[in-house]
């Protein structure tokens, strides 16, 4: 199938060809015709399969057909994303797709006054994180009543990090006569409930079972004591110093400590997490993209929205406590048809997290090293020897069973 067969106009097809994009991915092939017909969409697909273009192409096409001009402080289309990094990635994709439409980004960590100034002129597509959008709404810097298109990208993560209350504030402000598209790589029960609240008679487009790992990712797990994780990571990274590697830590402080340790032993490393300013995060990602650093240590802020060519390895230094995030994390490699490797480290107290991940995947992860723990940290510790019971005032009167 090619893009001509999906009902796109010649101008869009030509633009895609100029970007070297000639064949739609499966999620694009299924979602674009339905979206062009005006249907609400619930899209489920693995990370790295082209979901952004799956909603971006029909959104840009629909807005160009209407040929309206955005009034001051209004947005014709709204895309909500859970993280700044994902919002930035969406804007980059949209700007590749059109040069005629005004695209405005509003996220935390940037000057809200500058963002309000941009919105004062009106915009065709507003890409926003929910918290910053509400700040602007409360300042009356943006009016969403004329918004006719709403996209919720990575909606399941919005639920994970508590944006559902923000969504309930934002959605009623939009025009009732609108088209809504919701996309994600996983489909937890709470997201199904969310879709019933925001989608009207949606068509569900799904190209892989929720929680399925991309076919070209070879993933494995090492069972390793917590205090040995650094040593193992350094040893594994040393085997591919010229490749880009993304290392996930569960906490902000842990990510920063690990990055500094890697720097001390000679790796070109940087980090991104919630304690970094937006400028620091942008510079870190830029350095990782241009290859001036080869190791990026991150919290789950980077699990979505980072689309960087050549990430050959993903390390789950700490397992995620939300099992669906495992899929998103390792989806940062093997993108756009490439191959990649993902390696997880599992300490004794993470055994429950591993079991939850394997349940979500519906499969066991290949063991690359060590042996599975007993299931809890206590089970992995050496057991204290039992002392013989006293009988008639004497210790060890009877032999104990081995």
């Amino acid at each position: 199938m090619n893009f001509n067969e999906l009902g796109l106009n010649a101008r869009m097809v030509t633009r895609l060809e100029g970007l070297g994009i000639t064949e739609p991915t499966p999620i694009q092939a299924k979602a674009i015709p339905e979206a062009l017909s005006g249907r609400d969409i619930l899209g489920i697909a693995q990370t790295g399969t082209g979901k952004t273009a799956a909603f971006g192409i029909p959104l840009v096409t629909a807005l160009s057909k209407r040929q309206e001009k955005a009034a001051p402080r209004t947005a014709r289309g709204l895309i909500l994303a859970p993280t700044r990094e994902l919002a930035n990635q969406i804007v980059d994709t949209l700007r590749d797709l059109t040069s005629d439409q005004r695209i405005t980004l509003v996220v935390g960590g940037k000057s809200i006054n500058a963002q309000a100034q941009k919105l004062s002129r009106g915009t065709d597509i507003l890409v926003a994180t929910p918290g910053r959008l509400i700040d602007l709404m409360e300042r009356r810097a943006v009016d969403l009543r004329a918004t006719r298109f709403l996209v919720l990208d990575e909606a399941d993560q919005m639920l994970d990090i508590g944006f559902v209350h923000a969504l309930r504030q934002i959605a009623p402000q939009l025009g009732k006569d609108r088209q809504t598209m919701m996309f994600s790589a996983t489909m937890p029960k709470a997201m199904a409930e969310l879709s019933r609240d925001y989608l009207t008679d949606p068509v569900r487009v799904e190209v892989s079972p929720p929680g399925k790992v991309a076919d070209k990712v070879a993933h494995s797990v090492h069972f390793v004591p917590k205090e040995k994780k650094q040593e193992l990571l350094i040893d594994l990274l040393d085997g591919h110093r010229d490749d880009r590697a993304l290392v996930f830590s569960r906490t902000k402080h842990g990510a920063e400590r690990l990055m500094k340790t890697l720097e001390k032993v000679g790796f070109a490393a940087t980090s991104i997490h919630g304690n970094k300013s937006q400028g620091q995060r942008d510079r870190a990602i830029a350095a990782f993209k241009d290859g001036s650093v080869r190791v990026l240590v991150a919290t789950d802020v980077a699990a979505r929205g980072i689309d960087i060519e050549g990430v050959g390895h993903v390390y789950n230094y700490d397992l995620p406590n939300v099992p669906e995030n495992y899929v998103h994390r390792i989806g940062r490699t093997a993108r756009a048809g490439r191959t990649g490797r993902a390696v997880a480290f599992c300490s004794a107290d993470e055994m429950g997290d591993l079991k939850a991940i394997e349940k979500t995947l519906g499969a066991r992860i290949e063991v690359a090293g060590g042996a599975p723990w007993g299931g809890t940290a206590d089970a992995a510790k050496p057991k204290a020897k039992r002392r013989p019971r006293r009988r008639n005032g004497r210790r060890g009167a009877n032999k104990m069973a081995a």
Side-chain angles (χ1 to χ4, degrees), residues 210-221:
K212 186 178 185 297
V213 174
D215 293 333
K216 294 191 177 183
V217 178
H219 59 131
S220 58
V221 60

Side-chain angles (χ1 to χ4, degrees), residues 33 46 62 92 148 175 180 274 322:
Q46 299 164 4
D92 289 343
R148 294 293 176 264
T180 303
V322 177

Side-chain angles (χ1 to χ4, degrees), residues 62-332:
L63 290 172
S64 65
K65 283 183 180 179
R66 291 189 172 227
Q67 295 184 341
E68 302 167 348
K69 185 176 180 180
R73 298 187 303 108
T74 68
R76 299 170 64 203
L78 171 64
I79 301 173
L80 292 177
T83 68
R84 306 168 193 174
E85 283 69 28
L86 180 55
N88 276 308
Q89 187 69 49
I90 292 169
V91 168
D92 289 343
T93 299
L94 293 176
R95 286 178 176 156
D96 285 340
L97 297 176
T98 180
S99 56
D100 300 332
Q101 295 172 18
R102 182 178 293 165
I103 300 165
T104 303
L105 172 69
V106 297
V107 297
K110 299 286 188 179
S111 168
I112 193 169
N113 292 328
Q115 292 172 354
Q117 182 63 34
K118 287 181 180 179
L119 287 171
S120 68
R121 301 190 294 271
T123 189
D124 294 301
I125 304 175
L126 175 59
V127 183
T129 49
R132 177 48 60 95
L133 179 57
I134 288 176
D135 292 341
L136 289 160
M137 290 167 59
E138 290 175 347
R139 290 184 175 214
R140 304 196 178 198
V142 60
D143 184 345
L144 300 177
R145 288 177 292 180
T147 303
R148 294 293 176 264
F149 299 92
L150 172 64
V151 178
L152 304 177
D153 195 17
E154 303 291 11
D156 57 336
Q157 192 185 18
M158 289 193 196
L159 294 172
D160 290 342
I161 57 182
F163 279 143
V164 66
H165 300 298
L167 289 176
R168 299 198 191 284
Q169 286 181 256
I170 295 166
Q173 304 303 314
L174 277 68
K176 292 183 179 179
D177 180 21
R178 70 168 189 263
Q179 181 182 14
T180 303
M181 293 181 275
M182 183 182 296
F183 283 81
S184 181
T186 61
M187 187 65 183
K189 181 179 178 181
M191 201 179 101
E193 296 171 355
L194 190 71
S195 69
R196 289 194 290 269
D197 290 340
Y198 294 104
L199 304 180
T200 302
D201 188 28
V203 57
R204 176 167 172 156
V205 291
E206 184 175 336
V207 297
S208 62
K212 186 178 185 297
V213 174
D215 293 333
K216 294 191 177 183
V217 178
H219 59 131
S220 58
V221 60
H222 285 264
F223 294 98
V224 55
K226 188 171 293 186
E227 64 274 12
K228 296 289 186 181
K229 282 187 176 184
Q230 278 191 13
E231 180 182 339
L232 177 59
L233 177 64
I234 290 168
D235 184 55
L236 293 174
L237 287 174
D238 201 42
H240 54 84
R241 280 184 175 263
D242 292 333
D243 294 342
R244 288 186 182 88
L246 183 54
V247 181
F248 283 102
S249 170
R250 184 176 292 184
T251 68
K252 296 177 283 190
H253 297 297
E256 193 66 13
R257 284 195 303 270
L258 183 57
M259 181 273 291
K260 290 178 178 177
T261 297
L262 293 176
E263 280 189 325
K264 287 178 181 177
V265 296
F267 289 97
T270 188
S271 64
I272 61 171
H273 49 73
N275 282 349
K276 297 275 188 176
S277 70
Q278 188 59 44
Q280 289 173 317
R281 287 156 70 164
D282 291 344
R283 287 190 294 274
I285 290 175
F288 191 52
K289 279 185 176 181
D290 67 26
S292 56
V293 300
R294 292 292 179 174
V295 182
L296 177 63
V297 185
T299 56
D300 277 323
V301 72
R304 325 235 183 159
I306 292 185
D307 187 2
I308 298 174
E309 291 185 7
V311 177
H313 296 77
V314 170
Y315 290 96
N316 280 287
Y317 186 82
D318 298 315
L319 291 180
N321 51 16
V322 177
E324 290 83 6
N325 282 355
Y326 177 84
V327 178
H328 293 293
R329 286 181 177 190
I330 70 174
R332 299 309 101 198

